[in-house]
Amino acid sequence: MTDVQSTTPQPTMFQKLYARFEGLVREAGKFGTIGLITFLIDTGVYNLLWGPLNTLVAGTISMAVAATCAFIGNRFWTWRDRARTDLRREYALYFLFNLVGLVIALSCLGISHYVFGFTSQLSDNIAKNGVGLVLGTLFRFWSYRQIVFRKRPDHTEATPGSPAVTERETAG
């Protein structure tokens, strides 16, 4: 008999890497989609309020509106497969971590506007929605994924009455 070589193509390094991180890539894509929508909401509200209100007040209000929209999108789409805990717990943690993200973005805005003296609407938008948004988003993605919308617990551990426990109980 002769050796028959497999005609099935071997996965490329990129395909292996994608397969390993497929769930994370999918979550990041959904998170990014929600982020893009809420970015437009945040930017629109901020620019509507920029003239009549102090720049930090306008930024706070616009981010609060956008954060509420983001919570709904992330809870019911991005991480809809995650375990449901008390909605008040999720909402409170979500807004706590949004406050940290807000502080990150407003710090970038405040430093640019008040320390460096870049006071135009364009420079305020770059500081808040460019630098601050990127840094705040990285923090929020990590905190939402790891703390607010945790994965369901892995049920691979043996529980009383399961075959693994029964075998151990009877062996001893």
Side-chain angles (χ1 to χ4, degrees):
M1 219 169 166
T2 61
D3 288 334
V4 177
Q5 291 184 351
S6 174
T7 58
T8 305
Q10 296 298 318
T12 65
M13 185 173 74
F14 178 75
Q15 289 169 328
K16 288 178 186 176
L17 189 61
Y18 181 79
R20 182 173 184 177
F21 294 103
E22 182 178 3
L24 181 62
V25 170
R26 193 173 17 258
E27 284 179 351
K30 289 178 179 180
F31 183 79
T33 301
I34 297 296
L36 177 62
I37 293 166
T38 57
F39 168 77
L40 295 173
I41 293 168
D42 182 18
T43 303
V45 172
Y46 176 73
N47 284 306
L48 284 173
L49 299 176
W50 186 80
L53 299 176
N54 171 290
T55 188
L56 296 178
V57 173
T60 302
I61 292 169
S62 69
M63 290 176 86
V65 170
T68 301
C69 296
F71 175 81
I72 294 165
N74 285 315
R75 171 69 266 175
F76 297 105
W77 187 48
T78 305
W79 288 294
R80 71 174 177 245
D81 61 327
R82 299 284 178 108
R84 301 275 176 160
T85 59
D86 180 41
L87 187 61
R88 287 177 296 196
R89 174 203 163 272
E90 289 177 355
Y91 198 70
L93 285 173
Y94 192 88
F95 272 89
L96 171 69
F97 294 124
N98 261 295
L99 284 176
V100 174
L102 173 67
V103 168
I104 291 168
L106 291 180
S107 295
C108 293
L109 174 60
I111 290 169
S112 171
H113 192 91
Y114 297 109
V115 176
F116 295 139
F118 300 121
T119 58
S120 72
Q121 188 172 8
L122 176 62
S123 61
D124 282 354
N125 272 287
I126 291 170
K128 177 184 170 290
N129 295 321
V131 179
L133 178 76
V134 169
L135 296 176
T137 297
L138 290 172
F139 171 77
R140 284 190 293 269
F141 181 75
W142 173 83
S143 62
Y144 299 163
R145 187 171 194 274
Q146 297 298 319
I147 300 167
V148 180
F149 306 119
R150 296 182 297 222
K151 280 188 174 183
R152 296 180 190 273
D154 188 11
H155 296 302
T156 57
E157 293 183 24
T159 55
S162 71
V165 171
T166 306
E167 288 175 13
R168 276 184 277 161
E169 291 170 349
T170 57

